[in-house]
Amino acid sequence: MERLLLFPQPFPDESLYSLAVRYHRLVANCSYRLTSQELFGTYSRTCGSILPCCLGALSQRLAAAYSVGELIRCFTLLPLYQPFLDDATYSAACIAMAGNHGNGLKMSLGLTASRFLKHASFRYCGSCVHEDTQNYGVAYWHRIHQAIGTCICPHHGEVLRAMAFPGRTDWRCMLLPAEADGTPVMESPSGTAASTIAEMQLWGFGHPSDVKTLLAGNFLKHRLDEMGFLKSGRIREQRLRAFLSPRLLESPRVNEFQEIAYSSDWALRILRPRRTVVQPLKFYFFCWLLDVNLEQLKCFHPKKDIRSGDLSFEKDTSNAADEIDIEARRSAFSSSSYLKCHDKPGYHWLHRHDREWLTQYVASHPFIRLRECLIDWKARDLAVARELLAANDLILSVEGKPQKITRAALDRRVACGHEFLRTPDNFPISIRRMNDLLESNHDYQVRKIKWAARHYLLSERCAVSVIYRFAGIRVSHVTEAEVFKLLSCMK
């Protein structure tokens, strides 16, 4: 693999695409395809993405000056998502970015489902362009400006501008900030959440371990408890929705925010993630909705006795209950006639003070929900069987050329035909009835010959080929003796 003889010196918070553009101009390449071959050894279609791939090949071409991990950490936006990913998902994302194909990468991080990507654009700050030109001699693309939901420069407080590439080109024309027309992504930033969220994202970008601590310590639920939206560790959903609704109306008039500002359902899903990846924008936006600022995020220290969102542990439990009290509560709990453990007396006390015993009890006494069958399958089976008989009679009574009695022909004339074919175990009588009614090729051709004899007044003197032609038979399943016998019986 060829080594790169030169490579630009990275600037602070510079994206990989920005480095590729500066390399492209440094070596005076005529097209992005040539630049991509030199940097990645292939035509990479992800260089302009916030999560580029082919980083393994680039690391080898740089003679290990940057490992794949350093390239991901220093020049991509994956560190912004790292706190919200488990170890397996993060490792898989790093492997995908190191390889030549990033199929499914954005889907695994929840970016595709979030619908934020359709509003992505190349954004820059005018003040950053001016300062970078003075300090480094050239403007460059900042990573934090490309983060989804960053509409205000966290360094200067200015509205970012989205650059429109000339003509119908895209990022492969290799331009730097402000080299084409740019339009503000929003109106005046005063009185909006955009600046606060931009500062939070910048801090989270540089401190993924601290954000991980926030998530592990259930920061959002601590905040809800402080605001009175929790009762016995449970969310007061109606009160929380009533509080969030007017706050959502104050959200920035930007496409990314409008994707989630119409409802508070996504906020509740953050509190109950259920193995889904939480988008950084949604987390920091939710923090702003709860009147949290950056300093509160920095100063948060999780309490040792908070587990899994159960905030009822905040009470002082240093004086442990004595053994007699524990045994009495265990006895009252286990002797209760209620089937559900949540309904038994003392459940919350045991959950707080004697959780290990409660866990073992619940595991050994599973609650089995008995569900009554809402459908009388036997009656439905008999009804379908009757419909099949009626369908059979209808097919046999059709005027004109006979129709073959097949599964499809019977199914079309039965109200719930698809249902009983998909669940044959629920329709044993109907399935047997259908199998009895199905017509073989031999029986079908016998009916066709009888019809042709009546319709065209055929006699025994007709040749067999003539009879077959009138009956529409190409491949015979009846013998000539049977044909003449049928014609003789028709007299």
Side-chain angles (χ1 to χ4, degrees):
M1 183 171 292
E2 299 179 0
R3 286 183 53 183
L4 294 175
L5 300 179
L6 52 90
F7 194 72
Q9 180 66 31
F11 298 139
D13 191 39
E14 186 172 12
S15 69
L16 183 69
Y17 172 67
S18 182
L19 285 169
V21 174
R22 293 203 290 125
Y23 172 84
H24 175 83
R25 298 185 176 186
L26 194 61
V27 299
N29 281 338
C30 60
S31 68
Y32 166 70
R33 184 178 293 274
L34 181 58
T35 298
S36 178
Q37 289 289 343
E38 293 177 1
L39 292 178
F40 309 112
T42 185
Y43 180 60
S44 173
R45 297 178 182 272
T46 66
C47 181
S49 170
I50 60 176
L51 301 172
C53 299
C54 305
L55 300 186
L58 177 60
S59 176
Q60 294 180 21
R61 279 171 162 72
L62 292 174
Y66 294 96
S67 66
V68 174
E70 289 174 327
L71 291 174
I72 292 175
R73 186 172 60 256
C74 300
F75 307 118
T76 74
L77 278 175
L78 189 61
L80 184 63
Y81 294 84
Q82 181 181 357
F84 303 93
L85 308 175
D86 55 41
D87 294 339
T89 304
Y90 179 74
S91 299
C94 292
I95 293 173
M97 294 175 69
N100 293 341
H101 303 285
N103 297 338
L105 173 59
K106 293 179 179 177
M107 185 178 295
S108 66
L109 302 185
L111 280 167
T112 304
S114 69
R115 299 184 298 180
F116 290 147
L117 289 177
K118 64 181 180 181
H119 306 301
S121 59
F122 282 80
R123 301 177 180 182
Y124 65 90
C125 167
S127 296
C128 286
V129 170
H130 180 70
E131 287 187 2
D132 295 341
T133 304
Q134 285 189 333
N135 296 334
Y136 306 108
V138 63
Y140 63 92
W141 296 105
H142 290 252
R143 286 186 300 168
I144 189 59
H145 293 163
Q146 317 312 318
I148 295 173
T150 301
C151 307
I152 304 293
C153 177
H155 303 292
H156 301 99
E158 293 185 10
V159 176
L160 297 181
R161 303 179 71 87
M163 195 172 82
F165 292 97
R168 296 185 178 181
T169 58
D170 57 11
W171 54 266
R172 283 171 286 192
C173 65
M174 310 302 278
L175 296 181
L176 291 173
E179 291 185 344
D181 294 335
T183 57
V185 297
M186 63 177 297
E187 298 178 357
S188 174
S190 59
T192 68
S195 57
T196 302
I197 294 173
E199 294 174 357
M200 289 181 178
Q201 293 212 100
L202 177 62
W203 173 77
F205 200 11
H207 302 82
S209 59
D210 292 340
V211 180
K212 196 114 181 162
T213 302
L214 289 175
L215 299 173
N218 290 295
F219 171 77
L220 291 176
K221 289 194 175 181
H222 274 282
R223 180 59 179 167
L224 291 175
D225 190 45
E226 293 175 358
M227 301 176 71
F229 293 123
L230 291 182
K231 182 178 180 181
S232 299
R234 298 177 179 273
I235 302 171
R236 295 181 172 181
E237 186 172 325
Q238 292 185 352
R239 290 187 59 183
L240 179 58
R241 288 181 183 274
F243 172 80
L244 294 178
S245 295
R247 293 281 290 171
L248 288 170
L249 297 177
E250 301 174 15
S251 60
R253 302 302 179 196
V254 186
N255 290 330
E256 299 99 297
F257 290 92
Q258 295 306 305
E259 285 285 350
I260 53 178
Y262 66 91
S263 171
S264 59
D265 292 342
W266 62 269
L268 296 173
R269 285 195 292 270
I270 288 180
L271 299 172
R272 310 172 183 125
R274 297 182 181 178
R275 298 182 181 180
T276 58
V277 177
V278 176
Q279 295 301 302
L281 171 58
K282 291 184 177 181
F283 175 78
Y284 296 117
F285 187 30
F286 196 13
C287 289
W288 177 83
L289 291 174
L290 298 179
D291 289 324
V292 175
N293 55 38
L294 179 57
E295 292 303 318
Q296 290 173 291
L297 295 181
K298 293 180 179 179
C299 299
F300 174 71
H301 297 288
K303 298 184 180 181
K304 296 181 180 179
D305 54 0
I306 293 180
R307 304 183 186 92
S308 304
D310 185 3
L311 301 181
S312 58
F313 292 168
E314 293 184 2
K315 298 180 180 179
D316 184 12
T317 59
S318 57
N319 298 325
D322 56 30
E323 293 297 328
I324 298 177
D325 188 21
I326 291 177
E327 288 299 330
R329 291 180 181 273
R330 288 178 179 178
S331 177
F333 181 84
S334 57
S335 61
S336 174
S337 59
Y338 288 104
L339 296 177
K340 293 184 180 179
C341 291
H342 286 79
D343 298 334
K344 293 178 179 289
Y347 173 83
H348 293 289
W349 189 93
L350 291 170
H351 189 270
R352 187 181 310 168
H353 299 283
D354 197 12
R355 181 178 296 186
E356 183 176 355
W357 179 88
L358 179 63
T359 302
Q360 294 177 356
Y361 180 89
V362 172
S364 60
H365 297 78
F367 174 70
I368 301 175
R369 187 185 300 274
L370 299 177
R371 295 185 177 180
E372 297 182 359
C373 184
L374 302 180
I375 301 176
D376 188 349
W377 290 109
K378 186 175 182 180
R380 181 171 291 189
D381 187 14
L382 293 173
V384 173
R386 289 192 294 270
E387 291 185 25
L388 288 172
L389 286 175
N392 180 72
D393 295 340
L394 182 61
I395 295 174
L396 293 176
S397 63
V398 172
E399 296 182 1
K401 190 175 182 179
Q403 297 180 9
K404 188 177 181 181
I405 302 175
T406 62
R407 292 181 186 273
L410 293 172
D411 182 46
R412 284 194 295 267
R413 292 167 174 81
V414 175
C416 56
H418 296 293
E419 180 181 353
F420 93 88
L421 287 178
R422 290 170 182 168
T423 57
D425 293 340
N426 294 329
F427 298 88
I429 299 176
S430 301
I431 295 298
R432 288 197 300 269
R433 181 63 54 81
M434 171 175 275
N435 292 334
D436 294 339
L437 294 176
L438 293 179
E439 194 172 27
S440 65
N441 290 330
H442 175 273
D443 295 341
Y444 177 49
Q445 289 187 359
V446 167
R447 280 205 302 125
K448 291 171 72 174
I449 292 172
K450 290 181 179 180
W451 170 82
R454 287 193 305 268
H455 190 74
Y456 297 105
L457 302 177
L458 302 178
S459 65
E460 299 179 34
R461 292 176 294 178
C462 295
V464 174
S465 59
V466 175
I467 298 172
Y468 283 172
R469 185 170 68 252
F470 280 108
I473 296 175
R474 293 185 178 181
V475 179
S476 175
H477 292 275
V478 294
T479 63
E480 293 186 6
E482 288 182 290
V483 173
F484 291 123
K485 184 177 180 179
L486 289 173
L487 293 178
S488 63
C489 293
M490 296 291 295
K491 291 182 179 180

PDB file of all heavy atoms in Angstrom, residues 41 66 130 164 187 197 205 220 229 247 249 252 265 302 314 321 332 348 364 372 403 416 433 447:
ATOM      1  N   GLY A  41      -7.560   4.582  -1.117  1.00  0.00           N
ATOM      2  CA  GLY A  41      -7.341   3.408  -1.946  1.00  0.00           C
ATOM      3  C   GLY A  41      -8.579   2.934  -2.663  1.00  0.00           C
ATOM      4  O   GLY A  41      -8.577   1.869  -3.276  1.00  0.00           O
ATOM      5  N   TYR A  66      -1.570   8.333  12.514  1.00  0.00           N
ATOM      6  CA  TYR A  66      -2.852   8.358  13.221  1.00  0.00           C
ATOM      7  C   TYR A  66      -3.432   6.958  13.152  1.00  0.00           C
ATOM      8  O   TYR A  66      -3.572   6.391  12.066  1.00  0.00           O
ATOM      9  CB  TYR A  66      -3.832   9.342  12.581  1.00  0.00           C
ATOM     10  CG  TYR A  66      -3.428  10.791  12.689  1.00  0.00           C
ATOM     11  CD1 TYR A  66      -2.758  11.413  11.642  1.00  0.00           C
ATOM     12  CD2 TYR A  66      -3.725  11.527  13.820  1.00  0.00           C
ATOM     13  CE1 TYR A  66      -2.385  12.739  11.726  1.00  0.00           C
ATOM     14  CE2 TYR A  66      -3.359  12.856  13.917  1.00  0.00           C
ATOM     15  CZ  TYR A  66      -2.684  13.460  12.871  1.00  0.00           C
ATOM     16  OH  TYR A  66      -2.319  14.774  12.971  1.00  0.00           O
ATOM     17  N   HIS A 130     -13.424  34.094   9.557  1.00  0.00           N
ATOM     18  CA  HIS A 130     -12.524  35.241   9.645  1.00  0.00           C
ATOM     19  C   HIS A 130     -11.334  34.928  10.545  1.00  0.00           C
ATOM     20  O   HIS A 130     -10.170  35.204  10.188  1.00  0.00           O
ATOM     21  CB  HIS A 130     -13.290  36.455  10.167  1.00  0.00           C
ATOM     22  CG  HIS A 130     -12.459  37.693  10.302  1.00  0.00           C
ATOM     23  ND1 HIS A 130     -11.985  38.393   9.212  1.00  0.00           N
ATOM     24  CD2 HIS A 130     -11.994  38.342  11.415  1.00  0.00           C
ATOM     25  CE1 HIS A 130     -11.271  39.419   9.630  1.00  0.00           C
ATOM     26  NE2 HIS A 130     -11.263  39.418  10.964  1.00  0.00           N
ATOM     27  N   ALA A 164     -24.522  26.346   0.023  1.00  0.00           N
ATOM     28  CA  ALA A 164     -25.115  25.683  -1.141  1.00  0.00           C
ATOM     29  C   ALA A 164     -24.029  25.509  -2.193  1.00  0.00           C
ATOM     30  O   ALA A 164     -23.467  26.500  -2.681  1.00  0.00           O
ATOM     31  CB  ALA A 164     -26.267  26.504  -1.697  1.00  0.00           C
ATOM     32  N   GLU A 187     -33.425  32.208  12.127  1.00  0.00           N
ATOM     33  CA  GLU A 187     -33.473  33.648  12.314  1.00  0.00           C
ATOM     34  C   GLU A 187     -32.685  34.033  13.560  1.00  0.00           C
ATOM     35  O   GLU A 187     -31.823  33.287  14.009  1.00  0.00           O
ATOM     36  CB  GLU A 187     -34.932  34.097  12.408  1.00  0.00           C
ATOM     37  CG  GLU A 187     -35.745  33.813  11.136  1.00  0.00           C
ATOM     38  CD  GLU A 187     -37.195  34.218  11.282  1.00  0.00           C
ATOM     39  OE1 GLU A 187     -37.575  34.657  12.387  1.00  0.00           O
ATOM     40  OE2 GLU A 187     -37.941  34.084  10.297  1.00  0.00           O
ATOM     41  N   ILE A 197     -28.217  24.602  23.575  1.00  0.00           N
ATOM     42  CA  ILE A 197     -27.988  23.239  23.090  1.00  0.00           C
ATOM     43  C   ILE A 197     -26.651  23.140  22.369  1.00  0.00           C
ATOM     44  O   ILE A 197     -25.938  22.131  22.485  1.00  0.00           O
ATOM     45  CB  ILE A 197     -29.146  22.814  22.178  1.00  0.00           C
ATOM     46  CG1 ILE A 197     -30.434  22.704  22.994  1.00  0.00           C
ATOM     47  CG2 ILE A 197     -28.849  21.505  21.478  1.00  0.00           C
ATOM     48  CD1 ILE A 197     -31.665  22.447  22.188  1.00  0.00           C
ATOM     49  N   PHE A 205     -19.263  16.821  23.325  1.00  0.00           N
ATOM     50  CA  PHE A 205     -18.340  16.374  22.297  1.00  0.00           C
ATOM     51  C   PHE A 205     -16.950  16.156  22.885  1.00  0.00           C
ATOM     52  O   PHE A 205     -16.261  15.189  22.560  1.00  0.00           O
ATOM     53  CB  PHE A 205     -18.298  17.430  21.198  1.00  0.00           C
ATOM     54  CG  PHE A 205     -17.789  16.933  19.875  1.00  0.00           C
ATOM     55  CD1 PHE A 205     -17.613  15.588  19.638  1.00  0.00           C
ATOM     56  CD2 PHE A 205     -17.498  17.817  18.863  1.00  0.00           C
ATOM     57  CE1 PHE A 205     -17.148  15.123  18.424  1.00  0.00           C
ATOM     58  CE2 PHE A 205     -17.026  17.369  17.639  1.00  0.00           C
ATOM     59  CZ  PHE A 205     -16.855  16.023  17.428  1.00  0.00           C
ATOM     60  N   LEU A 220     -31.657  12.770  34.072  1.00  0.00           N
ATOM     61  CA  LEU A 220     -32.966  13.298  33.697  1.00  0.00           C
ATOM     62  C   LEU A 220     -34.019  12.972  34.749  1.00  0.00           C
ATOM     63  O   LEU A 220     -34.869  13.811  35.083  1.00  0.00           O
ATOM     64  CB  LEU A 220     -33.393  12.745  32.339  1.00  0.00           C
ATOM     65  CG  LEU A 220     -32.584  13.238  31.135  1.00  0.00           C
ATOM     66  CD1 LEU A 220     -33.034  12.537  29.870  1.00  0.00           C
ATOM     67  CD2 LEU A 220     -32.713  14.747  30.978  1.00  0.00           C
ATOM     68  N   PHE A 229     -42.099  15.807  39.171  1.00  0.00           N
ATOM     69  CA  PHE A 229     -42.755  15.001  38.148  1.00  0.00           C
ATOM     70  C   PHE A 229     -42.620  13.507  38.411  1.00  0.00           C
ATOM     71  O   PHE A 229     -42.936  12.692  37.536  1.00  0.00           O
ATOM     72  CB  PHE A 229     -42.193  15.324  36.763  1.00  0.00           C
ATOM     73  CG  PHE A 229     -42.531  16.710  36.294  1.00  0.00           C
ATOM     74  CD1 PHE A 229     -41.533  17.600  35.939  1.00  0.00           C
ATOM     75  CD2 PHE A 229     -43.843  17.129  36.227  1.00  0.00           C
ATOM     76  CE1 PHE A 229     -41.834  18.878  35.508  1.00  0.00           C
ATOM     77  CE2 PHE A 229     -44.162  18.405  35.798  1.00  0.00           C
ATOM     78  CZ  PHE A 229     -43.155  19.286  35.443  1.00  0.00           C
ATOM     79  N   ARG A 247     -43.413  24.595  26.433  1.00  0.00           N
ATOM     80  CA  ARG A 247     -41.976  24.729  26.203  1.00  0.00           C
ATOM     81  C   ARG A 247     -41.616  24.330  24.770  1.00  0.00           C
ATOM     82  O   ARG A 247     -40.736  24.940  24.152  1.00  0.00           O
ATOM     83  CB  ARG A 247     -41.208  23.853  27.187  1.00  0.00           C
ATOM     84  CG  ARG A 247     -41.311  24.278  28.638  1.00  0.00           C
ATOM     85  CD  ARG A 247     -40.382  25.438  28.942  1.00  0.00           C
ATOM     86  NE  ARG A 247     -38.988  25.019  28.911  1.00  0.00           N
ATOM     87  CZ  ARG A 247     -37.979  25.876  28.971  1.00  0.00           C
ATOM     88  NH1 ARG A 247     -38.216  27.182  29.024  1.00  0.00           N
ATOM     89  NH2 ARG A 247     -36.736  25.450  28.958  1.00  0.00           N
ATOM     90  N   LEU A 249     -43.345  24.789  22.192  1.00  0.00           N
ATOM     91  CA  LEU A 249     -43.710  25.876  21.285  1.00  0.00           C
ATOM     92  C   LEU A 249     -42.613  26.930  21.194  1.00  0.00           C
ATOM     93  O   LEU A 249     -42.583  27.706  20.242  1.00  0.00           O
ATOM     94  CB  LEU A 249     -45.019  26.521  21.759  1.00  0.00           C
ATOM     95  CG  LEU A 249     -46.263  25.614  21.748  1.00  0.00           C
ATOM     96  CD1 LEU A 249     -47.465  26.368  22.305  1.00  0.00           C
ATOM     97  CD2 LEU A 249     -46.554  25.113  20.340  1.00  0.00           C
ATOM     98  N   PRO A 252     -36.616  26.263  18.649  1.00  0.00           N
ATOM     99  CA  PRO A 252     -36.155  26.992  17.454  1.00  0.00           C
ATOM    100  C   PRO A 252     -36.911  26.577  16.203  1.00  0.00           C
ATOM    101  O   PRO A 252     -37.289  25.411  16.046  1.00  0.00           O
ATOM    102  CB  PRO A 252     -34.671  26.614  17.368  1.00  0.00           C
ATOM    103  CG  PRO A 252     -34.305  26.157  18.741  1.00  0.00           C
ATOM    104  CD  PRO A 252     -35.526  25.544  19.316  1.00  0.00           C
ATOM    105  N   ASP A 265     -43.884  12.838  22.890  1.00  0.00           N
ATOM    106  CA  ASP A 265     -43.744  11.388  22.990  1.00  0.00           C
ATOM    107  C   ASP A 265     -42.280  10.968  23.000  1.00  0.00           C
ATOM    108  O   ASP A 265     -41.889  10.041  23.719  1.00  0.00           O
ATOM    109  CB  ASP A 265     -44.476  10.707  21.824  1.00  0.00           C
ATOM    110  CG  ASP A 265     -45.986  10.866  21.923  1.00  0.00           C
ATOM    111  OD1 ASP A 265     -46.475  11.189  23.019  1.00  0.00           O
ATOM    112  OD2 ASP A 265     -46.671  10.693  20.897  1.00  0.00           O
ATOM    113  N   PRO A 302     -23.989  11.886  40.677  1.00  0.00           N
ATOM    114  CA  PRO A 302     -25.040  10.906  40.973  1.00  0.00           C
ATOM    115  C   PRO A 302     -24.949  10.393  42.394  1.00  0.00           C
ATOM    116  O   PRO A 302     -23.867  10.204  42.941  1.00  0.00           O
ATOM    117  CB  PRO A 302     -24.759   9.781  39.957  1.00  0.00           C
ATOM    118  CG  PRO A 302     -23.318   9.940  39.610  1.00  0.00           C
ATOM    119  CD  PRO A 302     -23.025  11.404  39.683  1.00  0.00           C
ATOM    120  N   GLU A 314     -33.934   8.150  47.694  1.00  0.00           N
ATOM    121  CA  GLU A 314     -33.322   9.366  48.166  1.00  0.00           C
ATOM    122  C   GLU A 314     -33.544   9.585  49.654  1.00  0.00           C
ATOM    123  O   GLU A 314     -32.903  10.396  50.272  1.00  0.00           O
ATOM    124  CB  GLU A 314     -33.868  10.566  47.381  1.00  0.00           C
ATOM    125  CG  GLU A 314     -33.438  10.517  45.930  1.00  0.00           C
ATOM    126  CD  GLU A 314     -33.889  11.733  45.186  1.00  0.00           C
ATOM    127  OE1 GLU A 314     -34.492  12.615  45.827  1.00  0.00           O
ATOM    128  OE2 GLU A 314     -33.653  11.820  43.995  1.00  0.00           O
ATOM    129  N   ALA A 321     -33.719  -1.420  58.867  1.00  0.00           N
ATOM    130  CA  ALA A 321     -34.769  -2.028  59.675  1.00  0.00           C
ATOM    131  C   ALA A 321     -34.234  -3.285  60.342  1.00  0.00           C
ATOM    132  O   ALA A 321     -33.405  -4.005  59.793  1.00  0.00           O
ATOM    133  CB  ALA A 321     -35.959  -2.371  58.792  1.00  0.00           C
ATOM    134  N   ALA A 332     -46.091 -10.906  55.784  1.00  0.00           N
ATOM    135  CA  ALA A 332     -47.320 -10.269  55.314  1.00  0.00           C
ATOM    136  C   ALA A 332     -47.376 -10.226  53.796  1.00  0.00           C
ATOM    137  O   ALA A 332     -48.432 -10.414  53.182  1.00  0.00           O
ATOM    138  CB  ALA A 332     -47.419  -8.856  55.892  1.00  0.00           C
ATOM    139  N   HIS A 348     -43.444  -1.814  48.059  1.00  0.00           N
ATOM    140  CA  HIS A 348     -42.497  -0.708  47.895  1.00  0.00           C
ATOM    141  C   HIS A 348     -41.470  -0.689  49.021  1.00  0.00           C
ATOM    142  O   HIS A 348     -40.291  -0.357  48.795  1.00  0.00           O
ATOM    143  CB  HIS A 348     -43.256   0.618  47.841  1.00  0.00           C
ATOM    144  CG  HIS A 348     -44.105   0.768  46.612  1.00  0.00           C
ATOM    145  ND1 HIS A 348     -43.570   0.955  45.365  1.00  0.00           N
ATOM    146  CD2 HIS A 348     -45.456   0.731  46.439  1.00  0.00           C
ATOM    147  CE1 HIS A 348     -44.532   1.033  44.460  1.00  0.00           C
ATOM    148  NE2 HIS A 348     -45.690   0.908  45.092  1.00  0.00           N
ATOM    149  N   SER A 364     -39.482 -16.759  41.789  1.00  0.00           N
ATOM    150  CA  SER A 364     -40.039 -18.074  42.116  1.00  0.00           C
ATOM    151  C   SER A 364     -41.564 -18.099  42.100  1.00  0.00           C
ATOM    152  O   SER A 364     -42.163 -19.159  42.209  1.00  0.00           O
ATOM    153  CB  SER A 364     -39.542 -18.535  43.487  1.00  0.00           C
ATOM    154  OG  SER A 364     -39.925 -17.614  44.498  1.00  0.00           O
ATOM    155  N   GLU A 372     -58.700 -15.213  28.291  1.00  0.00           N
ATOM    156  CA  GLU A 372     -59.790 -15.980  27.717  1.00  0.00           C
ATOM    157  C   GLU A 372     -59.769 -15.859  26.193  1.00  0.00           C
ATOM    158  O   GLU A 372     -59.409 -14.822  25.648  1.00  0.00           O
ATOM    159  CB  GLU A 372     -61.129 -15.471  28.245  1.00  0.00           C
ATOM    160  CG  GLU A 372     -61.298 -15.648  29.748  1.00  0.00           C
ATOM    161  CD  GLU A 372     -62.655 -15.164  30.211  1.00  0.00           C
ATOM    162  OE1 GLU A 372     -63.420 -14.677  29.355  1.00  0.00           O
ATOM    163  OE2 GLU A 372     -62.935 -15.270  31.413  1.00  0.00           O
ATOM    164  N   GLN A 403     -65.558 -24.327 -14.755  1.00  0.00           N
ATOM    165  CA  GLN A 403     -64.393 -23.843 -14.029  1.00  0.00           C
ATOM    166  C   GLN A 403     -63.912 -24.931 -13.092  1.00  0.00           C
ATOM    167  O   GLN A 403     -64.711 -25.628 -12.466  1.00  0.00           O
ATOM    168  CB  GLN A 403     -64.736 -22.594 -13.219  1.00  0.00           C
ATOM    169  CG  GLN A 403     -65.170 -21.413 -14.064  1.00  0.00           C
ATOM    170  CD  GLN A 403     -65.491 -20.206 -13.195  1.00  0.00           C
ATOM    171  OE1 GLN A 403     -65.243 -20.213 -12.005  1.00  0.00           O
ATOM    172  NE2 GLN A 403     -66.077 -19.198 -13.827  1.00  0.00           N
ATOM    173  N   CYS A 416     -63.553 -15.273   4.928  1.00  0.00           N
ATOM    174  CA  CYS A 416     -62.259 -15.201   5.612  1.00  0.00           C
ATOM    175  C   CYS A 416     -61.323 -16.277   5.073  1.00  0.00           C
ATOM    176  O   CYS A 416     -60.666 -16.988   5.845  1.00  0.00           O
ATOM    177  CB  CYS A 416     -62.426 -15.336   7.121  1.00  0.00           C
ATOM    178  SG  CYS A 416     -63.278 -16.836   7.642  1.00  0.00           S
ATOM    179  N   ARG A 433     -62.754 -30.321   4.610  1.00  0.00           N
ATOM    180  CA  ARG A 433     -63.812 -30.115   3.624  1.00  0.00           C
ATOM    181  C   ARG A 433     -63.240 -29.601   2.308  1.00  0.00           C
ATOM    182  O   ARG A 433     -63.636 -30.049   1.216  1.00  0.00           O
ATOM    183  CB  ARG A 433     -64.836 -29.121   4.195  1.00  0.00           C
ATOM    184  CG  ARG A 433     -66.014 -28.822   3.276  1.00  0.00           C
ATOM    185  CD  ARG A 433     -66.844 -30.063   2.995  1.00  0.00           C
ATOM    186  NE  ARG A 433     -67.288 -30.745   4.206  1.00  0.00           N
ATOM    187  CZ  ARG A 433     -68.339 -30.376   4.948  1.00  0.00           C
ATOM    188  NH1 ARG A 433     -69.054 -29.322   4.596  1.00  0.00           N
ATOM    189  NH2 ARG A 433     -68.686 -31.061   6.015  1.00  0.00           N
ATOM    190  N   ARG A 447     -65.930 -33.386 -16.626  1.00  0.00           N
ATOM    191  CA  ARG A 447     -66.988 -32.360 -16.643  1.00  0.00           C
ATOM    192  C   ARG A 447     -66.927 -31.542 -17.922  1.00  0.00           C
ATOM    193  O   ARG A 447     -67.962 -31.166 -18.499  1.00  0.00           O
ATOM    194  CB  ARG A 447     -66.853 -31.433 -15.444  1.00  0.00           C
ATOM    195  CG  ARG A 447     -67.426 -32.019 -14.163  1.00  0.00           C
ATOM    196  CD  ARG A 447     -67.828 -30.937 -13.175  1.00  0.00           C
ATOM    197  NE  ARG A 447     -66.730 -30.072 -12.821  1.00  0.00           N
ATOM    198  CZ  ARG A 447     -66.773 -28.737 -12.949  1.00  0.00           C
ATOM    199  NH1 ARG A 447     -67.837 -28.158 -13.485  1.00  0.00           N
ATOM    200  NH2 ARG A 447     -65.736 -28.004 -12.586  1.00  0.00           N
TER     201      ARG A 447
END
